[in-house]
Amino acid sequence: MQWDQRGAGKTYVENDPAKIAPTMTRERMVEDAVEMVAWLRSEFGKDKVFVLGHSWGSYLGLELARRKPQWMHAYIGMGQVSDAPESERRGWAWTLQQARRAGNAEAIADLESLAPYAQGDAPVPLADLMKQRKWLNFYGGMVHNRRGGEAEGAAIALSPEYRDADVAGIWVANDFSVSRLLSEALTLDMGRVQRLDCPLLLLLGRYDYNVSSSLAAEWFERVQAPSKQLVWFEHSAHEVMNEEPGKTLLSLVQYARPIAERAGDVPPR
């Protein structure tokens, strides 16, 4: 199950943004996630569930794993946030390297104008972040071998659960959420998490520079957990579930389902 968080998707359309705006904080979003998982456990009569968090959701998911490990069969991270400022610096450096290789004077000028980028503890100004992302996406740092995520974004309109009004509000809601959450979120160092008390599964795109997969892999090597598994997606960047959907499903069946089987929560195959 996936839910549209406060300030996003259908939830945005169904509520007054002016009333929601003051509640758009990281801690409130984590509390929402805790409440959602508590409801799922009750609704489906399950002591434990799997939580899969992607990108921003990987911050929420990791916080859930830290706070409520007894509720989880496993935490599954995709596009996993670790040391966000260092991730930003690596993404900027990689993008500048691509621009210089291509001799793209416009991109080089834009990126060099941001230097020094993501230094210290201060949030990166949103305008600087968007300039970095413009060129990172252009060079395939979000979707491997493609410029940007236009195809993935357009696919939202195909959702049978979204009315026309929901689709029309998606990008307004996205801007609403980004403006209140993203810059601060990118100051977080989740790499400081040294131990989890539930199993850990990471699904990482080899070419993810939007949220550095190399950095997430370094964190994976350090973190202690009852069991852990890292699966590399060799043809993906940040949009693993869209870029390699078949391997995503097979990886969940291969590595996540057995955890539930051993707990007696699903019949063995």
Side-chain angles (χ1 to χ4, degrees):
M1 177 177 180
Q2 174 183 305
W3 94 97
D4 285 356
Q5 300 165 41
R6 68 176 61 218
K10 293 171 72 75
T11 307
Y12 176 84
V13 173
E14 297 294 334
N15 291 275
D16 180 355
K19 292 181 179 179
I20 297 298
T23 73
M24 295 289 290
T25 66
R26 285 192 292 110
E27 183 57 29
R28 178 65 260 184
M29 302 297 273
V30 173
E31 291 171 359
D32 285 353
V34 171
E35 290 179 18
M36 173 59 73
V37 174
W39 177 82
L40 286 170
R41 293 171 66 239
S42 174
E43 182 73 8
F44 293 100
K46 297 291 185 180
D47 289 333
K48 295 187 176 185
V49 299
F50 290 97
V51 172
L52 189 157
H54 172 251
S55 197
W56 154 256
S58 75
Y59 159 68
L60 300 180
L62 190 52
E63 276 296 293
L64 266 167
R66 290 179 62 220
R67 299 183 189 195
K68 299 291 184 182
Q70 70 276 17
W71 289 3
M72 295 196 185
H73 283 306
Y75 166 61
I76 305 166
M78 184 184 290
Q80 179 63 50
V81 173
S82 51
D83 181 343
E86 176 61 18
S87 174
E88 286 300 302
R89 290 188 286 270
R90 291 191 189 188
W92 174 83
W94 175 83
T95 306
L96 182 57
Q97 181 183 53
Q98 307 313 304
R100 286 173 172 164
R101 282 180 180 171
N104 187 332
E106 181 186 0
I108 293 168
D110 274 355
L111 292 162
E112 288 184 340
S113 75
L114 303 178
Y117 181 74
Q119 300 298 311
D121 298 328
V124 176
L126 198 56
D128 290 357
L129 180 65
M130 292 300 105
K131 189 178 288 187
Q132 187 258 30
R133 287 295 194 274
K134 169 187 173 182
W135 293 112
L136 183 146
N137 293 353
F138 180 85
Y139 285 111
M142 184 177 76
V143 182
H144 183 47
N145 280 335
R146 287 217 305 279
R147 295 179 175 180
E150 289 83 3
E152 288 72 25
I156 294 170
L158 301 177
S159 171
E161 298 177 352
Y162 274 37
R163 303 163 300 173
D164 290 346
D166 300 326
V167 173
I170 284 171
W171 299 115
V172 177
N174 184 73
D175 291 344
F176 175 81
S177 297
V178 163
S179 66
R180 287 160 177 82
L181 294 169
L182 185 56
S183 287
E184 184 191 3
L186 294 179
T187 66
L188 296 170
D189 183 3
M190 299 305 289
R192 294 177 181 175
V193 177
Q194 298 296 312
R195 177 181 175 82
L196 292 177
D197 292 324
C198 66
L200 169 66
L201 173 60
L202 288 192
L203 309 179
L204 300 180
R206 181 68 72 179
Y207 300 96
D208 189 353
Y209 297 95
N210 190 74
V211 176
S212 173
S213 58
S214 64
L215 198 59
E218 292 167 19
W219 169 73
F220 176 85
E221 291 301 318
R222 298 192 306 270
V223 70
Q224 301 296 311
S227 65
K228 59 182 186 177
Q229 179 74 43
L230 190 159
V231 182
W232 282 107
F233 287 69
E234 301 294 347
H235 306 288
S236 295
H238 191 57
E239 298 288 332
V240 168
M241 62 288 187
N242 296 320
E243 296 177 82
E244 296 184 69
K247 184 173 179 178
T248 299
L249 176 58
L250 289 174
S251 297
L252 295 174
V253 171
Q254 184 175 358
Y255 298 111
R257 182 185 170 96
I259 297 172
E261 288 177 353
R262 289 192 291 273
D265 205 21
V266 294
R269 287 165 288 175

